[in-house]
Amino acid sequence: MVRSNAIAVISAFLLFKTSAAINACPVTDTVFTGTQGIRYRVCPDTDLIGDSQAITPNIVSTTACAQLCDEALNCFKAVYDTQTRDCHIKANAGLNWQPNVRFDVIQAEQINIAKCPYTETTYTNNGVSNVITSKGKNFKVCRDTDLRGGSAQMINGVTTLDDCAQRCSTIDTCVQAVFDSNASVCHIKSDAKANTLIWSTDKRFDVIRQDVAAAPATDGAWSDLVRLPVIPVAAYILPEFPTSSRLMVFSSWGADAFGGAGGRTQFADYNFNSGAVSARTVANTQHDMFCPGISALEDGRILIQGGSDANVNSFYNPASNNFTRAPDLLMARGYQTSVTLSDNRVFTIGGAYSGPRQGKDGEVYDPKSNSWKALPGAKIGPMLTTDNEGIWREDNHGWLFAWKGGSIFQAGPSKAMNWYSANDTGTQAPAGTRDTDDAMCGIFVMYEPGKILTAGGSPDYTNSDANNRAHLISIGEYGQPATVERAPDMAYPRGFANAVVLPDGTVLVTGGQRRSLVFTDDNGILQAELFNPATKSWKTLAAEAVPRNYHSVSILLPDGRVFSGGGGLCYTAQVGGSTVNCNKLVDHADGQTFSPPYLFNPDGSAASRPTISAFNATSAKVGGQLTISTSTIDPKFVLVRIGSVTHSVNSDQRRVPLTSVTPSGTQYTAILPSDSGVLIPGHYYLFVLNSAGVPSIARTVQITLS
């Protein structure tokens, strides 16, 4: 653990500079490191307007004020008055951050963590450092951190860390404990499999945890947290050749805030191979893209529709890395779902969250004419949920799948399922009933053509108990009733979860809450689950570090891993409002990557991957063929459409196994499906899998109509 004080200059993200409330330090800030390694961000020439818990006079400098705050267990924000030399220990709420050259603001960095950020020590008994082995359990200690969440037992009068560790070691069910040095309490923490425990920095506490060996071959493995300059409320992979390396994520007008139509969007560009992260403000299209529909076109452009600026659309062009204005929607929308159709048009429906508060019928974008067309026959009414908050929640986040001949299958979140067509003026036809109740913000994914998994969700958008029910849906031709089979339940009920189809056909579900409740970490599910359609069974996997609930994302990477991130976002009621009073611990400007079990050998070492030694083309027509060279014995070939995601909706992803394959030595010729409703135009990952189900690193291939 760091045991020295230091001032280190760092760069701040310069988002706003106004005479009113501010969201981030308007100048270059510094970091003060306290005696226990806790970091404090020091922003000069600013003030926190609001109550002070204590005022100490005659403090000689800002650094001395920061030292004073570091010594006080209840100090997380302080202000130094450069004129009076008073050090104000501020209250933790009711504050307004404003520019003022007279003051310097000091704020503790209280952040969520996946690994101990300091040097982890072993339990020390009577001054002798050792790993305690009472009843076969080993324990390690991470100072100045806390496990936020329920305690199974609170033992008062415990005055030392060693005493707390010793008590945990003698309790059979104690896997983790927290020592509160201020209150002299030892918290025996609740079972992490049944309770939400979040590891974070906090100078008042010390965490004692059983040292349990990881089992990645059975549970998978999570990376350390990746810190991002924005909360990733939405995300998409850039289609690149020969393989993708970049993930674009975005929030709203603010990196950590939304409210109103801001006319701009904060983006981050994450290179998941190199780890490089950069920030970017997109303002040239006058589009606040929070809460949009997202669809990828055949040529690789990403069409981002509506949201806070509800009638505005933007194109992102991966070839130029630029945004341009697209034709406006005919009906202003937010929280709608869109899909790229079999003929490369884009269908969208719903979106009462933004614009007029009414259920919104479908419309369709045609890239040939670069225009939108209303579809009055694609009625929203049959797919509405019944929500306690009314229509602005009831037409949100449709579970849409593009299908044959310009048709769309709607699997939820309403219990009623429907067919839609974007041809002529649009049509709608009932497709049966999926469940006994609605399931807003549940998961839905097509794991092979015409085969859909749905699970979770809650009857109402928020403040509503989630369910753990899962269903397998099979679809045929337009207008035919879908076949619904009740699958085994998930281990956990989940609202606001996300799902990703993996190259081997299994489906990874991450995040969500037992009770859907926007802008909270309450009852968050940290454990991932994996559904295997072949065995119709679920398996609980390793737990991620941070709850991924409302405003979270997950998305498949080309190496077979999954990025999971986001959650939270501060509502400020006005564009540019201050977020200083928001609970930053539930605003997650970060993510982790998950390595599924198929990437490991039984001993936990990395599995040997198949490789694609040669690939004949970067594009192929629907019904055409691909020539692939690999030395893998008995390989399988799979296409997975590159995804985009926001608000539990990833309508771009689908998995298409290539079943018509002819071998010639180490060269294989694969015939592609001939129906563009199965093989939607756009960019795909091409994976080779070996007999153990281990995927290669994917090559990118563009599927075209002609």
Side-chain angles (χ1 to χ4, degrees), residues 305-377:
Q305 316 131 49
S308 289
D309 281 303
N311 68 321
V312 180
N313 295 326
S314 297
F315 284 124
Y316 172 75
N317 188 334
S320 64
N321 196 30
N322 289 325
F323 289 83
T324 56
R325 183 76 173 246
D328 288 354
L329 289 160
L330 302 179
M331 172 62 75
R333 302 173 189 267
Y335 278 14
Q336 75 277 23
T337 297
S338 65
V339 284
T340 304
L341 302 179
S342 59
D343 57 5
N344 197 39
R345 293 180 299 157
V346 174
F347 172 81
T348 189
I349 193 168
Y353 174 85
S354 299
R357 288 290 170 86
Q358 64 187 60
K360 296 173 183 178
D361 299 339
E363 59 183 287
V364 65
Y365 171 74
D366 188 343
K368 292 180 179 178
S369 63
N370 193 32
S371 62
W372 290 90
K373 176 184 175 182
L375 300 174

Side-chain angles (χ1 to χ4, degrees), residues 400-601:
L400 303 186
F401 299 92
W403 199 232
K404 303 174 182 179
S407 66
I408 306 99
F409 179 73
Q410 176 254 324
S414 62
K415 60 186 177 183
M417 302 180 296
N418 293 276
W419 285 103
Y420 286 92
S421 171
N423 299 326
D424 299 322
T425 57
T427 58
Q428 172 274 328
T433 302
R434 184 194 70 261
D435 201 358
T436 57
D437 210 341
D438 301 326
M440 182 57 70
C441 295
I443 65 95
F444 58 103
V445 62
M446 186 176 284
Y447 57 88
E448 64 180 63
K451 304 293 184 181
I452 296 166
L453 170 71
T454 70
S458 56
D460 297 305
Y461 200 106
T462 188
N463 200 22
S464 179
D465 288 337
N467 75 76
N468 63 349
R469 297 189 298 276
H471 298 87
L472 297 173
I473 302 171
S474 298
I475 60 174
E477 300 303 315
Y478 176 85
Q480 294 180 348
T483 300
V484 181
E485 175 187 351
R486 178 72 181 272
D489 293 344
M490 294 187 292
Y492 299 95
R494 299 176 188 258
F496 304 129
N498 285 279
V500 167
V501 62
L502 301 180
D504 65 352
T506 57
V507 178
L508 182 74
V509 179
T510 55
Q513 297 171 286
R514 292 174 177 85
R515 181 175 177 82
S516 298
L517 190 61
V518 297
F519 307 117
T520 70
D521 284 344
D522 299 355
N523 297 305
I525 307 300
L526 300 179
Q527 293 78 10
E529 292 190 64
L530 189 70
F531 181 74
N532 187 334
T535 60
K536 297 181 181 179
S537 62
W538 292 93
K539 178 178 174 54
T540 302
L541 303 178
E544 52 192 324
V546 174
R548 305 297 181 191
N549 302 327
Y550 186 51
H551 292 163
S552 66
V553 299
S554 70
I555 198 164
L556 180 67
L557 304 181
D559 59 6
R561 297 181 301 158
V562 173
F563 175 87
S564 173
L569 203 68
C570 176
Y571 176 68
T572 65
Q574 63 179 358
V575 175
S578 175
T579 64
V580 69
N581 292 309
C582 290
N583 181 2
K584 298 300 183 183
L585 288 178
V586 302
D587 284 349
H588 303 307
D590 52 41
Q592 289 178 275
T593 54
F594 181 70
S595 297
Y598 58 38
L599 293 179
F600 299 95
N601 294 317

Side-chain angles (χ1 to χ4, degrees), residues 84-238:
T84 66
R85 295 190 174 184
D86 290 338
C87 182
H88 296 252
I89 306 302
K90 304 299 293 186
N92 292 323
L95 303 175
N96 187 16
W97 196 6
Q98 293 188 351
N100 191 323
V101 295
R102 173 174 166 174
F103 301 97
D104 297 333
V105 167
I106 302 156
Q107 301 188 74
E109 282 192 338
Q110 191 177 15
I111 58 173
N112 297 320
I113 55 177
K115 298 179 180 180
C116 186
Y118 318 117
T119 300
E120 210 164 15
T121 61
T122 56
Y123 167 73
T124 303
N125 187 15
N126 295 325
V128 179
S129 179
N130 59 58
V131 177
I132 189 166
T133 57
S134 176
K135 299 184 180 181
K137 295 189 289 186
N138 301 328
F139 289 88
K140 289 188 174 182
V141 176
C142 184
R143 302 291 296 269
D144 298 325
T145 64
D146 184 23
L147 284 172
R148 304 188 336 267
S151 296
Q153 186 179 355
M154 295 171 59
I155 306 172
N156 295 311
V158 177
T159 58
T160 67
L161 174 63
D162 283 0
D163 189 8
C164 185
Q166 180 62 39
R167 290 171 187 262
C168 178
S169 71
T170 61
I171 298 173
D172 289 339
T173 57
C174 184
V175 176
Q176 300 178 109
V178 172
F179 176 57
D180 181 345
S181 57
N182 185 56
S184 298
V185 175
C186 182
H187 295 258
I188 306 302
K189 301 305 292 185
S190 300
D191 182 2
K193 294 180 180 179
N195 297 270
T196 307
L197 300 180
I198 307 167
W199 201 4
S200 63
T201 58
D202 193 322
K203 60 187 178 181
R204 174 173 171 169
F205 303 100
D206 301 310
V207 167
I208 304 150
R209 63 183 186 88
Q210 188 175 341
D211 192 12
V212 179
T218 56
D219 300 337
W222 289 94
S223 72
D224 199 358
L225 285 163
V226 177
R227 308 294 176 182
L228 299 170
V230 306
I231 295 173
V233 178
Y236 55 87
I237 299 286
L238 273 64

